[in-house]
Every structure is written in C-alpha cells, then in structure tokens.
Amino acid sequence: IDNPAPGDTAAPNSEIPAPEADRDDISAQAKQFEKRLDNLLTRAAAGMEGLSASYADSIAEELPRPSFGKSGYLLHSKILNAAKKCDTAAQHLAKLSLKDCQTEELGGEQFKIIEEYVSAQNGLYKAVKDYLGKTGKAGPLLQSLMQATQFRASEALNLAGTMQLLARNGISPAADKTQIMQGLSEIDTEKSLLQGMQAVSHKMHGHVLADQVKTQTAGLFAKIDTLEQSQGQINHTEFTQKAGELKTEVQNLKTQVESLQNPQSGLQMDSGLHDALLSCIGRMENRLEAMEQSNPLKTISADAEQLMNKYNLDIFSQIKTKNPRMSVFLKDLQESFASHNNKVEQLKQDIEKAKFTPQQLKTAILNIMSELWEDKSHTAFSAVAMAYIVQRNINKYGMDFDKHAEKIQDRIINHFKHYGVTMNEKEAKEFISFAWDNLDNKAFAVLADYCSELYMFSTEIFHAEKDELGAMYEQATQYGAKLHQNHILEALEHNVDMSTLLEASLRDIPLDQLETIAGDAVLVQSKVLGQGAANTVNLCTYRGKDGEDKTLVFKPELHARFGLNHLTANGLGYKAETKVMQVNIAACRSAESIGCGDVIAKSSIGSFDGKFGLFMEAAKGATFYGMTGSKKAHCGFNSKGETFSYGQTLTLLDRKGLRDTMRANLMRELCRLEWADCLSGQVDRHGDNYLISIDTETGKVTVTGIDNDASFGFRKVGMNRIYMEDEPEKVKELEKSGPVKLTEDGDLDVSTLNSDQITALRPLYGFNQLFAPSHIDKETYDKLIAIDVDEYRQRLAECLDHRAVESAVLRLKDAQKHARQLESEGKVVQDWSEPKLYKEYQEERAQNHYLRRGFFARDFIHD
C-alpha cells in the first residue's frame, strides 16, 4: 500500500502513483476476468459449441486432467478422442452441401456422412457422462457440453430431413413460419450442411443476447478500466463508494441475464451456462457488497481481540460439575477472566468508533494485559497451569503417583517459588490430586492451556504486535486507509475475503503472497488438526474452479509467532516483528529458485474463522516417523485411490521389481529437499517435518517439507556457519568439549567442531540437521549456479527484513561454492539409479555425526 508513515513529507491523502508493473498486473487481471466472463456470455448467447470443428481444442483447454492416476488419464483421453472424432465428422459435414440433401432419398455417401456426425456426437456424450459418473466431478461447462452434443445431433438430422421435405413438397423457406425454415431463408443452398446448422442453431437451441446485456457488460468493465486507469492509490472511503457503484452495475447485469431464461418470451438458454453465468455474476455482486461494507477499524478490533484473547467462561461450569471441591479455588480465576473479557469487548467497540489516538490504543492494550498478568488470581494461573503440566507428564511417561509424589510435589513448589508465590506441601498435594481427578476432563485441559499460554507469552512479541496494531490504526484514522486499485479486481477475480485484503494492506503484505482460492464463501468444510486454548490449526477444504476442491492447512499467525519464540531455533536470530507466515513463503521462493519448489509445501497468507495467518497446501503421504513407527501411517497410493502402509508399499514394489526405482527417486527427492533447506537455513527438518508419498504402480516418490517456521534465522550466515561473536556464553559452552575458534567476522564454522561439540550445539540452536549435502541433482546444480543474486535478494526482500535477506544471500553464495566443489568431485548426479550412490550414502551413515547426515542416510539407512 505504500502508505505515508508518520513524519513523511507526503500529504496524508495525496495520490501516490502505482508502479508501472503494478498497473500492468492490474490490467492483466482485469482482462483475464473480462475474457472469461465474455466467453461465458458468448457461449450462452449462441449455443453454437461444436459447429466450428473445435470440440477437441476447447476441451483440452477447459477440462483439467484428473489427479488420480492411470484410470483418470484414460477417462480424460476417451473424451479427447471422442471430441476429435466429432471434429473430423464436422469437417466431413462441411463438404456436404444443403443442395445435396434436397433429394427424395439421401444417397449412401450423404447418409454415411450424417450418420458419422450423429454417432460422433453421441459418442462424445457417452464419454463425458462416463467421466462425470466415475470421477464424481460436476460443472456447468461439462453439463453444457453434453447438452450441446444432443443439440448438434438433432440439428443435423432435422435439417437434413427438412431439406428432403423441401425437395418433395416444393415449400419455400421464406414462406414458412417455423424457426428452421425462417433460418434457412438466410442461407444459400449451395452452402454446406454445417453452415446451414450454424444458421438455424440459434433459432432452435440458442439465443443471441439482447443488446442491452452486451452494453451493460461493456459498461461494467469500462468502470473497472476507469478505476484502474486512475492509477496510484485510493482512499478507503472512495474505495467503498466505487465498490457500491460497481455493485449496482452488476445487479443490473444480473437482471438482464435472468431475462434470458424466460419461457414466456420463448427464450430458453442452455440451463448449464445460464446457471454458470448467474453464479459468476452473483459472486461479483456478493464480493462487491462485502467491499462496500468493509471497515478497516473492524479488522483492527478483531486483531486486538486475537492478541488479548477473550476466554470461554463455560469451562468453569463444566469443571464445577465434575469437581465441585475446586469451585471456590476457581472462583477468582473465573472473575478475572470475566473482567478481562469485558475490557476487551469495550476496547473493540472503542476502536471501531475511533475513540483513541494511536498511542492511547497501544496504552489501552498494554494496560488490559498487565491487569490480567498482575491480577489477584495470578496464583490460580500458576496452579492450574502447573497442575496440567504434571498431569501431562504423568500421562506421557506413565509416572507412578505414589513413587514420584515427592518429586512432583517439589516441582510444583519450586515452580511457584520462581514466580514469587509461596506454596506449602499440603497445597502442592491438592494440586497433584486435582490433576489426577481431571485427567479426562476436556474443559480443564482447555483452562490449563489458557493458563499455560499466558506463561509462555513473549512480552517482546506482544509489544511488537501491539505496536503494529497501533500503526495500522494510525493508517486507518489519521492518514485514511489507502488501498491499491487491484483490490477491487482481486475481489472480483478470486475468493479472497475483503477482511483479508484490508489486513494485508494495513500490514503491508503484497497481494501476490495471498491465498486466492480461500474465502468463507467457498469453504466446504474444516476440521481441527491441533488445538490449544486460543489457537487452533485447521484442515480446510475450499471449492475451486470446475468443481475441484483444494485442501489447505491453516495456522494463525499470532500462534506461529509465539510458537517460534519458544523453539530453541529462535536463538538463530528472529526479530519480534518477524512474520512467520512470510518466512514460510520465503522458504517456497528460495526452493523455487533452484527448481525445488515442489519439495516445500506451498504457502500463502489469508484468513480463516476471523484469524489472519498461514495457509499451507495439504500434501498427501506420511511423515518418516509416521510411516516407519508404531503409527504405520499410509504412504503408498495407487490410481484406484487405495492406500498402503510402508511395509505393504515395499511388498507391492517388490512384486513389480520397482523397489530400486523407488529408492533412486527417494534419494533424489530427499537430496533436493536438503538443498532447499540449505538455502532457507531451515534447522528443524526432523522425521516428522516432511511427508513422503509413493506411487505403488510406478515407484514415483513425492517428498514435501512442511512447517518451515525455523528458517531464515539471520545468525546462520552460511550452510554451516553461525554468527556468534556477540554470544560469548554459548562459545564457552562449546569450549567445554574442546577449543573453539571464530573467524575474523565472528562466525563459527561448525565443520571444525568435534562430535561432542556438535552434540552440545544442538540444544543451543535447535539443530535437527547441520550438514553440507554430499550430492546434488544435475537440474538443481544448473539452476543453483545460474541464480542472479540481485533478483534472489529482491524476491526475498518482499518477505524478510534486511538482515535476514543478507544472511540468505551469504548462504546462497556458500551453497554455490559447495556445489562447484561437488561438481569437481563428480557428485553432480544425472542417474540416481547408479548402485554406487547407495554405497556412498551407506558410507555417509557410517562415518558422520548424525546431525551431519543427509536425510536419506539419516532416516533410511540403518547401522
């Protein structure tokens, strides 16, 4: 949005021209949407599909190939083959003149041409019907295609029959009042039968759009073009006004299109396309209405609520029912939460009424949270949180209550002492008993999570978020929220909720980082994958184009930021302002730069359930720990949609002699993931942080790295170099196991450390891998060496702060240097099935420290 910051010389509401590239992008988006809508309108107007010998091209462009293996491709191929037969038959029909049909009986050759055309149309109808039945997919364009084949078949037969009647009875087309005969009066009988069908088709089965509808459509896009050509930015008030004007234009267009399906007027448009038109226009109408009603202050108030968290008070009643003796103890806690909720709600109302200055807003947020932290029920927070921690330890480790009672009791007492609260043995025992009594109480688990998260709260991140909310509020009130013109086009073209667009604008997040498929209007279903008190990770399914569903994992940004703060990897350097969702996007971009984008889960930014955060594509398969551990998760798949455990998958591959093929593919894909992680500086790629999917029919392997939060720490200034000059205490910790020498730049080259030091390094920085890959795929090598450093830096700068970007550039240069070294050693691999590669990975497994092993040697080769 490029809003003027406090102290900038630009006037608060001055128009700032958008970059030329932005305007080109806006224009391209508008034209894409206009082209699709115009194409739909044209098809609906004429109903002429299949009359220009172009079935096959149209289907190849519009019908997506199925993603379920061999059987899906066969179904798709059958449709294309049937369409080609239709096109061939249409070409033959184009050589048969209307005059040739003016005989009392059609000759053998003429009859064969018409029979071929009708049979081809029926064949395409059956192929599409089979596709819909076996795939379960549906869509107006496919339904319309089936209807068109029957239109064409009947038109060919009726027209040929009519020409015979003309020959027998001497009837003049111009004198007849039927639709077919009136249509024939417009065409010379020297023309072909196909041209005759083109003349009468719209009279029989299609309808030309009324001029006012065409005019209305042109007017709608003229307004969008005018908005786009105004350049620069638009004040939010003007933005909502223009959205309202466009909405009126769309409503008028909708009325005109509805009139095209009117039995009383004789208009009976192809129902499939008519519904598609109304759906398309209706979506535009709904989106524009949401834009007209959008309010940046409501977006900010929702963010403030998420930061401060309103609590569900019903849990206290649920706990009281199960454990009445604790009701007195929980009373203060309940009152504290209720008071907090009231303050948060009042704050939200005041934000939406713009009652604060930016500084007053930040102060109000800080005061509310400080009161919660310092409340008289502070002891209760600690007690409930600690009781739940004990409970989880008992559950997780099968701790014997009587045997370990004293140890548990001491832990609780020391915990309270840490927070300045004195607790005696009797009270500690009471809380242990409380934990035992509530092992299966979900309400208590939620309450304990509330309290635990309050203690895990990072004040540094809280202040960063509070300050960002203050800046957003300042933009919305004092400077007038300004939005790029392409927000309107983005809302028309895609499914991004307006609240997401506003949030992205206020937080200065580029539109190309947003998830365009996700929006409340197209949400099919969602389910919880993981849950805490205030934050939940969800698996969301959204309806995509042509009936295709898209499944995404959503993680709230605030949750991710606090979660990163408690990873040991946080020691590698992340500013409190770091947006974890953009770290994940940067990981995708760095992987894409070396052709390895498919081994990192695609990430984007959006909103779900009122929360702003990260969307990540839900990759299929199982984690390494899942598929080889006790869970026995399924990692094998076939074209029938069947799934298999790792053991079953290996058995199926052995039967087909494909195990070596699978292993070669697995080595290649894991190596590509290693290089992607080297560039991003990812340090947390453990066995539950990547997924593996194996095609049991071909041996193809897909590897997908997930959860890329622990990437782009600015201290990681090379593949194996860490900046440590300002962390002498960590250097001293490593010196306990041997001498440590830093470079002139204050970097630690971990390749110089002994095994004991590397082991000691792990808890300092959270490393789950620390290596320079031993091989590189030829394609990856070529793209890595060819990277333009300036372009790479610019691409990452859209996601990361300056220091993180410069560290990433240092890692890139280090990776290029290492890749050239591998090339000189003959370690650039073109054929991963060479037997020597597996032997080399076996040697890597045997000789190196476990943190220095590549993923294949670490996880798939046993000592």
Side-chain angles (χ1 to χ4, degrees):
I1 50 177
D2 297 324
N3 294 296
D8 282 359
T9 56
N13 292 313
S14 62
E15 291 294 331
I16 303 174
E20 196 67 38
D22 273 8
R23 294 203 298 275
D24 292 343
D25 184 54
I26 295 166
S27 178
Q29 287 187 47
K31 295 300 182 245
Q32 288 171 11
F33 184 80
E34 183 175 4
K35 181 180 178 182
R36 276 202 285 279
L37 183 59
D38 186 63
N39 180 48
L40 203 55
L41 286 166
T42 301
R43 291 174 65 171
M48 304 279 275
E49 190 167 27
L51 289 175
S52 59
S54 61
Y55 265 140
D57 290 341
S58 175
I59 291 172
E61 181 179 344
E62 295 175 353
L63 185 63
R65 285 186 178 274
S67 57
F68 49 88
K70 186 177 180 181
S71 61
Y73 282 102
L74 287 176
L75 288 171
H76 189 273
S77 297
K78 285 181 180 179
I79 294 180
L80 285 178
N81 291 335
K84 290 175 183 176
K85 288 183 180 180
C86 286
D87 291 347
T88 300
Q91 292 169 6
H92 295 162
L93 206 64
K95 297 177 182 178
L96 180 64
S97 71
L98 288 168
K99 191 173 183 180
D100 290 338
C101 297
Q102 285 185 304
T103 59
E104 291 193 14
E105 291 188 13
L106 287 175
E109 192 62 33
Q110 290 96 329
F111 181 80
K112 284 181 180 179
I113 291 174
I114 296 172
E115 182 183 40
E116 176 195 17
Y117 183 81
V118 173
S119 297
Q121 297 294 328
N122 290 334
L124 179 56
Y125 175 91
K126 184 178 184 305
V128 175
K129 185 177 181 181
D130 288 346
Y131 178 89
L132 293 175
K134 292 181 180 179
T135 64
K137 300 181 183 300
L141 296 181
L142 289 177
Q143 297 288 348
S144 176
L145 177 61
M146 292 174 64
Q147 194 167 355
T149 62
Q150 300 310 286
F151 285 170
R152 303 295 84 88
S154 64
E155 288 161 5
L157 291 172
N158 287 336
L159 185 54
T162 299
M163 297 310 298
Q164 283 187 289
L165 288 175
L166 289 174
R168 292 176 183 174
N169 302 323
I171 300 174
S172 168
D176 197 277
K177 294 183 179 181
T178 65
Q179 289 181 329
I180 294 180
M181 299 301 285
Q182 287 177 332
L184 286 176
S185 66
E186 304 168 5
I187 191 166
D188 188 339
T189 57
E190 295 294 332
K191 300 292 186 180
S192 70
L193 183 60
L194 188 65
Q195 290 171 312
M197 290 170 61
Q198 291 170 346
V200 302
S201 176
H202 66 282
K203 298 290 185 181
M204 295 175 64
H205 295 124
H207 309 283
V208 179
L209 279 175
D211 288 341
Q212 64 261 38
V213 176
K214 282 285 189 182
T215 303
Q216 190 66 44
T217 307
L220 169 67
F221 284 99
K223 286 198 171 188
I224 294 177
D225 287 342
T226 300
L227 181 64
E228 183 268 317
Q229 290 166 7
S230 66
Q231 302 182 11
Q233 299 170 338
I234 184 170
N235 182 277
H236 181 263
T237 302
E238 186 183 354
F239 175 81
T240 55
Q241 178 184 340
K242 288 185 178 294
E245 293 172 359
L246 283 173
K247 187 185 74 171
T248 301
E249 198 79 19
V250 170
Q251 288 170 337
N252 292 337
L253 174 61
K254 182 179 179 182
T255 300
Q256 297 296 338
V257 171
E258 285 174 340
S259 71
L260 297 173
Q261 189 78 323
N262 186 349
Q264 294 180 350
S265 66
L267 295 177
Q268 287 293 303
M269 182 192 296
D270 174 339
S271 59
L273 285 177
H274 185 260
D275 292 345
L277 261 176
L278 288 181
S279 174
C280 184
I281 294 170
R283 188 182 77 172
M284 293 169 64
E285 185 179 22
N286 293 337
R287 311 289 291 156
L288 286 165
E289 182 175 0
M291 293 164 65
E292 184 184 22
Q293 297 174 358
S294 63
N295 185 341
L297 291 177
K298 285 189 175 181
T299 298
I300 295 168
S301 74
D303 288 337
E305 179 181 2
Q306 187 180 352
L307 175 62
M308 295 185 290
N309 189 25
K310 287 174 67 177
Y311 297 98
N312 175 14
L313 302 180
D314 292 341
I315 57 177
F316 292 97
S317 299
Q318 297 171 29
I319 293 174
K320 182 178 179 180
T321 300
K322 182 165 183 175
N323 209 312
R325 69 188 181 84
M326 295 304 298
S327 59
V328 176
F329 169 73
L330 293 177
K331 183 179 178 181
D332 288 346
L333 186 58
Q334 182 177 356
E335 291 176 354
S336 178
F337 280 165
S339 174
H340 176 78
N341 286 357
N342 292 336
K343 292 170 186 173
V344 172
E345 186 57 38
Q346 184 61 53
L347 179 80
K348 288 178 58 185
Q349 294 176 18
D350 290 344
I351 290 174
E352 292 172 20
K353 294 176 182 177
K355 287 189 174 183
F356 299 109
T357 66
Q359 184 56 50
Q360 286 172 340
L361 173 61
K362 292 190 288 185
T363 300
I365 292 173
L366 179 59
N367 287 342
I368 291 174
M369 289 305 296
S370 295
E371 289 173 11
L372 180 64
W373 292 328
E374 298 168 5
D375 190 270
K376 62 182 180 180
S377 58
H378 198 197
T379 303
F381 289 146
S382 288
V384 175
M386 192 60 207
Y388 188 49
I389 291 170
V390 171
Q391 172 219 340
R392 284 188 296 183
N393 283 337
I394 292 170
N395 256 357
K396 184 174 182 181
Y397 302 111
M399 192 179 289
D400 183 277
F401 180 78
D402 294 327
K403 184 176 180 181
H404 297 282
E406 187 175 342
K407 183 184 296 185
I408 298 171
Q409 178 180 297
D410 289 342
R411 287 185 61 186
I412 290 178
I413 292 173
N414 289 332
H415 175 83
F416 282 102
K417 185 178 180 181
H418 177 74
Y419 290 103
V421 178
T422 301
M423 176 173 284
N424 59 39
E425 293 183 4
K426 180 181 177 182
E427 290 171 322
K429 289 179 180 179
E430 184 177 4
F431 291 124
I432 294 172
S433 177
F434 180 37
W436 272 109
D437 292 343
N438 286 277
L439 285 175
D440 299 319
N441 190 336
K442 292 182 180 179
F444 172 63
V446 172
L447 177 61
D449 266 350
Y450 282 151
C451 300
S452 296
E453 288 188 4
L454 278 170
Y455 274 97
M456 292 174 65
F457 213 72
S458 164
T459 54
E460 185 181 16
I461 292 176
F462 166 76
H463 285 294
E465 181 69 13
K466 167 182 64 70
D467 291 344
E468 188 166 9
L469 287 177
M472 292 164 63
Y473 181 82
E474 186 170 25
Q475 290 181 33
T477 54
Q478 297 186 13
Y479 293 100
K482 287 179 177 289
L483 307 165
H484 275 311
Q485 316 300 348
N486 55 354
H487 279 73
I488 285 185
L489 298 172
E490 195 76 14
L492 286 173
E493 173 71 3
H494 299 297
N495 292 305
V496 186
D497 289 325
M498 193 57 214
S499 61
T500 302
L501 292 171
L502 278 170
E503 183 106 21
S505 298
L506 293 169
R507 292 187 184 271
D508 201 19
I509 294 173
L511 289 178
D512 65 355
Q513 296 181 24
L514 299 185
E515 176 51 60
T516 58
I517 194 69
D520 291 343
V522 291
L523 179 65
V524 177
Q525 63 181 8
S526 66
K527 68 177 182 178
V528 174
L529 289 182
Q531 190 165 17
N535 299 287
T536 302
V537 177
N538 284 85
L539 186 69
C540 308
T541 301
Y542 294 92
R543 185 174 64 254
K545 294 179 180 178
D546 301 316
E548 295 278 350
D549 287 344
K550 184 173 183 179
T551 302
L552 303 169
V553 175
F554 178 79
K555 180 163 64 173
E557 169 64 7
L558 198 60
H559 186 199
R561 288 173 74 178
F562 280 102
L564 179 60
N565 184 65
H566 292 282
L567 285 178
T568 312
N570 187 49
L572 284 170
Y574 297 91
K575 293 184 178 179
E577 298 82 8
T578 298
K579 293 181 175 66
V580 176
M581 52 194 175
Q582 290 188 293
V583 167
N584 280 267
I585 290 174
C588 294
R589 291 185 174 184
S590 63
E592 288 166 358
S593 69
I594 55 172
C596 297
D598 55 333
V599 299
I600 296 293
K602 297 292 184 295
S603 298
S604 53
I605 296 170
S607 296
F608 169 75
D609 194 28
K611 293 181 174 65
F612 196 61
L614 174 74
F615 279 112
M616 186 173 65
E617 282 192 353
K620 70 177 184 178
T623 66
F624 166 72
Y625 289 152
M627 72 188 209
T628 58
S630 59
K631 302 175 188 176
K632 303 296 183 186
H634 285 199
C635 62
F637 302 84
N638 65 15
S639 59
K640 298 178 182 178
E642 297 173 324
T643 64
F644 308 94
S645 68
Y646 185 45
Q648 292 170 329
T649 298
L650 293 180
T651 299
L652 291 171
L653 292 171
D654 285 341
R655 289 175 184 172
K656 297 181 179 181
L658 291 173
R659 185 189 282 225
D660 288 345
T661 299
M662 183 278 290
R663 186 171 65 186
N665 289 333
L666 180 60
M667 288 191 296
R668 177 180 186 267
E669 295 309 299
L670 287 174
C671 182
R672 295 173 70 231
L673 180 60
E674 290 172 11
W675 282 98
D677 283 352
C678 282
L679 291 193
S680 70
Q682 163 73 280
V683 298
D684 195 30
R685 188 70 68 205
H686 52 73
D688 261 337
N689 237 350
Y690 68 91
L691 298 172
I692 294 176
S693 169
I694 302 171
D695 188 328
T696 59
E697 296 172 340
T698 65
K700 178 183 177 181
V701 175
T702 301
V703 169
T704 309
I706 59 175
D707 195 2
N708 298 287
D709 296 0
S711 304
F712 294 100
F714 60 73
R715 288 190 179 279
K716 202 159 186 279
V717 293
M719 290 193 301
N720 281 329
R721 294 170 74 93
I722 307 169
Y723 178 70
M724 298 185 70
E725 188 175 43
D726 59 350
E727 296 198 307
E729 73 285 353
K730 292 185 178 179
V731 175
K732 289 180 181 179
E733 185 66 29
L734 296 178
E735 286 176 338
K736 293 177 182 179
S737 302
V740 174
K741 184 177 181 181
L742 302 182
T743 68
E744 293 181 359
D745 295 327
D747 302 338
L748 172 67
D749 183 351
V750 300
S751 65
T752 64
L753 299 183
N754 61 44
S755 293
D756 290 339
Q757 289 173 317
I758 292 177
T759 301
L761 187 71
R762 185 184 185 189
L764 299 180
Y765 291 111
F767 286 112
N768 272 301
Q769 80 268 13
L770 186 66
F771 58 85
S774 57
H775 300 79
I776 185 169
D777 184 69
K778 179 63 165 62
E779 182 181 352
T780 305
Y781 175 83
D782 290 341
K783 292 187 176 181
L784 174 62
I785 297 302
I787 288 179
D788 182 287
V789 174
D790 290 334
E791 289 181 4
Y792 184 75
R793 177 186 282 110
Q794 182 177 354
R795 193 86 172 112
L796 293 184
E798 296 173 356
C799 307
L800 307 168
D801 63 74
H802 175 73
R803 190 171 180 186
V805 170
E806 292 310 308
S807 293
V809 170
L810 291 175
R811 287 195 301 274
L812 168 63
K813 293 178 178 179
D814 195 20
Q816 290 174 325
K817 178 181 178 181
H818 180 62
R820 289 190 177 96
Q821 178 63 33
L822 291 179
E823 197 274 338
S824 70
E825 297 172 1
K827 298 293 183 68
V828 176
V829 184
Q830 297 193 61
D831 181 6
W832 287 86
S833 63
E834 292 184 33
K836 69 172 186 176
L837 289 172
Y838 185 69
K839 291 181 179 178
E840 288 173 358
Y841 276 122
Q842 285 179 314
E843 293 171 359
E844 182 178 325
R845 169 78 183 194
Q847 295 176 7
N848 283 342
H849 185 279
Y850 72 101
L851 289 183
R852 282 181 172 159
R853 295 168 185 160
F855 301 144
F856 183 79
R858 182 190 72 184
D859 296 341
F860 287 92
I861 296 179
H862 303 290
D863 296 326

